[in-house]
Amino acid sequence: MTSKITNRIALSVIVLCALVMTATLAALLGYILYHGLSAISLSFLTKDSSSFQAGGGIKNQLWNSFYILFATMLFTVPLGLCGGIYLSEYAKPNKLTHFIRSCVEVLASLPSIVVGMFGLLIFVNYFGWQYSILSGALALTVFNLPVIVRVTEDALQSVPRELREGGLALGVTQWHTIKTIVVPAAFPGILTGIILSAGRVFGESAALLFTAGLSTPNLDFSNWNPMSMTSPLNPFRSAETLSVHIWQVNTAGITPDIQTIANGSSAVLVLCVLGFNLFARIVGKFIDRKLTGKA
Amino acid sequence: MENKSVVVQMPSSPNNEGRSLIQNNKKWTSIFNRNSEWRGKIWIYGSAIFVILSVIAITLFLTVQGLRSFVVDHINVIDFITGTEWYPDRAENPSYGALPFIFGSLMVTILAAMLAAPFAIGSALFMTELAPKWGQKVLQPVIEILVGIPSVVYGFIGLSVIVPFMRDHVGGSGFSLLSGALVVGVMILPTITSISADAVRAVSNDLRSASYALGATKWQTIYRVVLPAAKSTLITAIVLGMARAFGEALAVQMVIGNARNLPNAISDPSATLTTIITLSMGHSTAGSVLNDVLWSLGLILLIISYGFILLIRFISRRGQVS
């Protein structure tokens, strides 16, 4: 009898844990969206942020976030893809491979602020790029690389062996087999992983504090010359991203409407990240359907 | 791609006779193929080397920079690690004691793990043992979304919900070690849950069947069979969560209160290694003692992170043997 009662109680506790978890998410999302959505308006999204007065927007921060995300992906995707291909297809089980795997693991578990400090030391000071989009993007490359490597390796590992054997049996070289058969077969998994990691990069802040900076110069959105200091495209200007902006406003903001700006920015940030997640799912399903030929 | 090479090479081939043209094509195709294999390998090995180089560079540069305060500024290592007074800006006799930050970091990490681990493992058991369908349909997406929410947003919500709540119900300013641990605890909840769920799922079904066949209840099976079988991976999951909690910077910084003293209670404001670096790095000039000391704090952060990595390896290796 007692064991039955214990069973009941213990199982209810487990259910309670799951409920707490779900409730936490519901509360978090509910709080952000309830307080944030009312703060989002067209003018909030398209106005410059102000440092003293109320009513500032997040146009530049939003642009910076996407620009840094784009630059990071430009560096990470080829590197991560090749790293993943190496580990899955070329690596022999020896000490070097073991070492590379350890390196990927170390990179993945380093605190992002340590990556930021490294960026400060190397890109900002040593290479003299100052607080810039380029420094930020390179720091985020270090931060994001292990994720893409792992995603690619996992996706390639799940490709059936027969496909590779088929390619090699036709007398095609290994690289050609990988390029034309294995990678396309693993493509849905890789793409989904890349989009999900984009969400992570988009929300990252600690690695950007010391690399992309806390301020943005006045941007002129009609000036598209990438060398000009006021151009939004210039990779050598400092750039405060949306997530850094949320931190900055909350810790050092002096405008009267801090709460509104923080609410609105958080909501935009979370909506973007949710958008990435949703997009990854849709793309994954769409490609999967196309490849498997199900209607 | 091969055709392209042929088109490019044809005009330069001196012989325009049909048969040798074909031979020529063959020759160029094979060279190009070999080149492509070669070029592919350059890319592949290049990125593998890049991964290695970045790890070595991070470790090396942070170590060199972090040792400056001991080598150049002659601060005693023992005093630095065990000192409790952090007054780098004092004009006379400035003191650099990092113990409050090391203590704060470890406390936040341990408290966060203590708060998150029970809920995480409970949720993992729910997903795998009680209601796999619900787990797949509801909890899996919940975990994925929770992982995706950026850390500053957790910090911001901590600042606007947890801090006022603590102020009203626990007392003090509300900025405290406990608030920090709560925020980070929620952050690492999904990390621990998803790895724990994998661990529990990996337990062989034969074990469960055997336990049921002996007349055990579901809970007895979970407690006596499933959890012990998954023990080492569960511990790995918790340590991974702790590593993440340890490295978190901005979310903690927003709610912990940033006091420089050792806290007397968990409701006292405090600081961690990451928060003091976040706060002071921007204000210090390169080459100054304060700057060097901050890099030393960064080095401690790096060393403890490596410690976590080694710990995880140790646990998972021991799990494999037994």
Side-chain angles (χ1 to χ4, degrees):
Chain A
M1 199 57 191
T2 35
S3 71
K4 267 193 180 166
I5 293 171
T6 333
N7 187 41
R8 222 12 97 75
I9 295 172
L11 294 191
S12 334
V13 170
I14 292 178
V15 174
L16 194 73
C17 288
L19 281 180
V20 166
M21 181 108 155
T22 319
T24 311
L25 176 77
L28 277 172
L29 282 187
Y31 183 88
I32 296 167
L33 296 182
Y34 176 75
H35 289 272
L37 286 182
S38 56
I40 301 177
S41 61
L42 195 63
S43 76
F44 181 69
L45 293 176
T46 56
K47 260 172 85 170
D48 284 343
S49 61
S50 81
S51 35
F52 303 107
Q53 290 156 332
I58 53 164
K59 178 182 71 176
N60 290 346
Q61 282 79 9
L62 202 56
W63 164 260
N64 288 338
S65 281
F66 278 108
Y67 192 24
I68 288 192
L69 173 66
F70 174 74
T72 307
M73 285 306 172
L74 208 61
F75 297 128
T76 332
V77 170
L79 275 173
L81 214 59
C82 290
I85 293 175
Y86 173 82
L87 282 179
S88 158
E89 308 292 318
Y90 281 93
K92 299 175 184 76
N94 56 17
K95 279 211 169 126
L96 178 72
T97 309
H98 186 73
F99 183 61
I100 294 178
R101 265 180 223 286
S102 311
C103 285
V104 173
E105 196 187 332
V106 168
L107 274 190
S109 41
L110 278 184
S112 58
I113 190 158
V114 168
V115 176
M117 290 173 82
F118 171 70
L120 172 65
L121 205 57
I122 300 298
F123 308 128
V124 177
N125 290 338
Y126 187 73
F127 289 152
W129 291 332
Q130 304 303 325
Y131 288 158
S132 64
I133 287 181
L134 186 62
S135 307
L138 285 172
L140 285 184
T141 302
V142 175
F143 166 81
N144 196 31
L145 188 60
V147 182
I148 306 257
V149 168
R150 278 183 178 171
V151 163
T152 310
E153 193 193 348
D154 287 348
L156 291 176
Q157 285 294 326
S158 63
V159 173
R161 218 185 127 73
E162 288 77 16
L163 284 182
R164 293 184 184 93
E165 282 168 355
L168 294 174
L170 288 174
V172 186
T173 60
Q174 191 182 4
W175 172 245
H176 203 74
T177 310
I178 293 169
K179 203 171 64 179
T180 52
I181 298 173
V182 183
V183 171
F187 186 65
I190 298 176
L191 191 66
T192 313
I194 289 177
I195 300 174
L196 281 176
S197 83
R200 213 169 81 100
V201 169
F202 195 79
E204 177 50 37
S205 44
L208 287 176
L209 275 190
F210 310 133
T211 51
L214 292 170
S215 60
T216 309
N218 286 325
L219 295 185
D220 175 10
F221 275 82
S222 59
N223 180 357
W224 294 100
N225 170 14
M227 285 303 122
S228 156
M229 213 49 204
T230 56
S231 162
L233 282 181
N234 187 346
F236 290 103
R237 64 179 173 82
S238 68
E240 181 193 36
T241 64
L242 195 56
S243 43
V244 173
H245 187 59
I246 294 174
W247 179 74
Q248 165 88 339
V249 162
N250 273 305
T251 48
I254 43 173
T255 53
D257 56 345
I258 288 174
Q259 201 64 32
T260 324
I261 294 179
N263 280 332
S265 309
S266 300
V268 172
L269 191 62
V270 168
L271 284 177
C272 286
V273 172
L274 285 182
F276 280 120
N277 279 21
L278 203 66
F279 185 57
R281 273 164 189 269
I282 292 172
V283 166
K285 257 189 198 155
F286 177 75
I287 297 181
D288 196 46
R289 205 176 288 164
K290 223 168 183 190
L291 284 183
T292 51
K294 279 179 212 148
Chain B
M1 270 213 165
E2 284 130 43
N3 288 338
K4 215 188 214 168
S5 88
V6 172
V7 172
V8 176
Q9 292 304 333
M10 255 184 21
S12 68
S13 89
N15 204 329
N16 272 335
E17 228 176 292
R19 224 178 108 192
S20 56
L21 183 73
I22 295 173
Q23 274 175 345
N24 244 353
N25 281 357
K26 262 189 185 162
K27 196 174 107 203
W28 281 111
T29 315
S30 76
I31 286 179
F32 192 83
N33 257 345
R34 223 179 300 146
N35 271 346
S36 127
E37 179 76 18
W38 206 63
R39 207 165 346 132
K41 275 199 173 150
I42 290 183
W43 266 102
I44 301 292
Y45 283 92
S47 25
I49 290 169
F50 182 86
V51 172
I52 299 179
L53 276 186
S54 42
V55 172
I56 294 178
I58 289 178
T59 314
L60 202 67
F61 283 104
L62 283 184
T63 309
V64 169
Q65 191 76 12
L67 288 177
R68 264 182 65 98
S69 54
F70 309 124
V71 177
V72 180
D73 307 316
H74 302 293
I75 295 171
N76 188 325
V77 183
I78 308 291
D79 289 348
F80 178 68
I81 294 176
T82 56
T84 53
E85 300 217 323
W86 176 261
Y87 291 101
D89 35 7
R90 203 157 57 182
E92 69 222 33
N93 192 19
S95 73
Y96 307 94
L99 189 64
F101 311 125
I102 301 173
F103 177 78
S105 276
L106 293 179
M107 278 310 279
V108 166
T109 308
I110 293 169
L111 280 175
M114 277 164 57
L115 285 168
F119 288 108
I121 293 179
S123 304
L125 287 173
F126 178 83
M127 284 173 73
T128 50
E129 301 291 315
L130 294 193
K133 250 189 193 160
W134 272 77
Q136 202 57 43
K137 274 205 173 135
V138 181
L139 243 64
Q140 194 63 38
V142 166
I143 291 172
E144 277 165 23
I145 296 172
L146 275 175
V147 167
I149 293 179
S151 59
V152 273
V153 174
Y154 280 108
F156 168 62
I157 290 182
L159 187 66
S160 38
V161 179
I162 295 179
V163 169
F165 180 84
M166 289 286 169
R167 187 162 36 211
D168 296 341
H169 294 87
V170 182
S173 63
F175 293 97
S176 66
L177 208 55
L178 187 61
S179 307
L182 263 173
V183 167
V184 180
V186 176
M187 273 184 67
I188 63 174
L189 193 61
T191 316
I192 305 183
T193 310
S194 65
I195 306 173
S196 305
D198 288 344
V200 177
R201 242 178 243 132
V203 174
S204 155
N205 255 331
D206 296 350
L207 292 179
R208 293 188 187 94
S209 310
S211 171
Y212 289 135
L214 290 172
T217 59
K218 195 145 208 170
W219 170 243
Q220 280 168 335
T221 307
I222 291 173
Y223 187 69
R224 296 282 172 82
V225 178
V226 176
L227 284 184
K231 195 177 85 185
S232 78
T233 325
L234 288 180
I235 297 175
T236 310
I238 296 172
V239 177
L240 268 174
M242 287 171 74
R244 194 173 166 214
F246 181 77
E248 179 46 47
L250 300 191
V252 183
Q253 193 272 333
M254 285 159 93
V255 296
I256 202 166
N258 305 303
R260 59 178 82 189
N261 307 328
L262 269 176
N264 293 320
I266 52 171
S267 56
D268 279 355
S270 167
T272 70
L273 290 167
T274 50
T275 61
I276 188 74
I277 294 173
T278 314
L279 271 186
S280 313
M281 194 57 111
H283 306 302
S284 66
T285 43
S288 67
V289 182
L290 171 60
N291 192 270
D292 290 347
V293 172
L294 290 176
W295 285 104
S296 301
L297 292 179
L299 179 60
I300 296 180
L301 204 59
L302 186 73
I303 292 172
I304 301 184
S305 302
Y306 268 106
F308 275 119
I309 295 166
L310 289 178
L311 187 63
I312 291 166
R313 297 212 136 189
F314 176 71
I315 297 168
S316 46
R317 195 172 304 157
R318 228 184 37 173
Q320 274 167 9
V321 170
S322 62

